Amino acid sequence: MAERKPLISGNWKMHHTHLEAIRVVQKLSYALKDTDYEAADVSVHPAFTALRAIQTLIDADRLSIILGAQHCHWEPKGAFTGEVSPTMLAALQVTYVIAGHSERRELFGETDEVVNLKVKAILANGMTPIMCVGETLDEREAGDTDAKVSGQVKAGLEGLTAEQVGGMVVAYEPIWAIGTGRNATPDDAQATIASIRGAVANVAGADAAATVRIQYGGSVKPANAAEILAQPDIDGALVGGASLDPDEFAPIVQAAPRRG
Ligand code: PEP
């Protein structure tokens, strides 16, 4: 099986001013050791207003923490009041951009087509998309989880090359588990993520499916992280609430399996 280094990402949503963000990244960087970065890549996704401050901090202190963003428009520039372009993020040395988070889909009307446009624009600007997929509680109870996520995978990856798909990140985030304190059991998350990997293989081929990293997201905490991250198809975690506090986020990073 391909070597897929886990990626542990902290999605801060609409939390932390740039001053708070600086304090969080400083504290996180004190807590994490070289061996932690050998076991996992670690990204933080502050609000747009804190990106420049965190970029400068990472640069000045040569931190191994990777800068991510939560969202972007797909056009490089134009009359889109309030939006931020992928070109602007790339200029801030952003590496990972979340696309299609369920909160964006549900609260801001992002469709699969929009997610696909964003994924393409993020890639075209030399960054890596973290494309989120996941089912509602009703869809889960109706037995529609696999159909829902494989449909989102197919639509979101439309028109990409196998190489592009193989280098990106997909996050499986069951919507009923986000911010609710309820998480999919490790076995359930593993099964759905294996099925997402199958959907990627159908769209982009076996090689892309072997290298695409697929995170789990939904109420990941220090207490459940190790068991989730130990699953063979789970290549890291997208963490919301618990990533806001470095005392919680650092142990989640440190729960990534050690190799060798
Ligand atoms: C998220 O924001 O993507 C998320 C998974 O949130 P939480 O960890 O709080 O459930």
Side-chain angles (χ1 to χ4, degrees):
M1 190 188 278
E3 179 93 1
R4 299 183 304 260
K5 189 174 183 184
L7 170 65
I8 316 288
S9 305
N11 172 17
W12 292 351
K13 313 191 187 197
M14 200 169 71
H15 294 283
H16 291 331
T17 65
H18 70 290
L19 297 174
E20 291 162 344
I22 289 170
R23 283 194 289 275
V24 168
V25 170
Q26 280 171 332
K27 199 167 172 198
L28 183 64
S29 72
Y30 299 145
L32 296 179
K33 308 288 169 237
D34 287 351
T35 47
D36 299 323
Y37 298 112
E38 280 159 25
D41 291 332
V42 183
S43 65
V44 293
H45 300 246
F48 287 139
T49 50
L51 282 176
R52 174 66 174 150
I54 301 305
Q55 179 222 349
T56 307
L57 175 63
I58 289 173
D59 218 29
D61 290 2
R62 297 174 194 278
L63 303 182
S64 300
I65 293 167
I66 303 168
L67 187 59
Q70 301 174 18
H71 160 67
C72 65
H73 199 273
W74 57 93
E75 292 290 348
K77 60 182 171 185
F80 301 103
T81 301
E83 287 293 321
V84 166
S85 80
T87 324
M88 294 167 181
L89 297 182
L92 285 172
Q93 286 154 29
V94 165
T95 297
Y96 295 104
V97 187
I98 299 170
H101 190 282
S102 60
E103 287 155 14
R104 302 270 346 152
R105 291 179 188 260
E106 288 194 341
L107 304 174
F108 301 98
E110 275 185 20
T111 60
D112 282 339
E113 291 68 34
V114 164
V115 174
N116 178 246
L117 288 170
K118 288 171 55 160
V119 165
K120 285 177 176 156
I122 293 162
L123 287 164
N125 282 276
M127 301 178 291
T128 301
I130 299 179
M131 187 183 83
C132 301
V133 299
E135 82 286 6
T136 63
L137 192 55
D138 283 352
E139 289 162 343
R140 181 180 189 80
E141 286 171 349
D144 290 340
T145 298
D146 286 351
K148 171 75 181 290
V149 295
S150 60
Q152 288 177 318
V153 165
K154 190 163 180 276
L157 302 182
E158 173 79 38
L160 301 186
T161 66
E163 199 185 350
Q164 286 176 317
V165 174
M168 61 181 274
V169 182
V170 174
Y172 168 53
E173 298 215 303
I175 295 168
W176 49 271
I178 297 178
T180 58
R182 296 178 60 190
N183 61 285
T185 65
D187 284 351
D188 265 0
Q190 159 61 29
T192 304
I193 286 180
S195 131
I196 290 171
R197 204 175 292 288
V200 172
N202 288 339
V203 175
D207 288 351
T211 58
V212 66
R213 290 189 287 180
I214 310 182
Q215 299 174 309
Y216 168 78
S219 297
V220 176
K221 308 282 177 211
N224 59 22
E227 212 187 337
I228 291 168
L229 294 171
Q231 301 300 316
D233 272 293
I234 301 185
D235 309 318
L238 181 54
V239 186
S243 72
L244 296 174
D245 177 354
D247 288 336
E248 282 200 82
F249 193 45
I252 292 173
V253 172
Q254 288 160 338
R258 311 275 144 161
R259 296 196 194 89

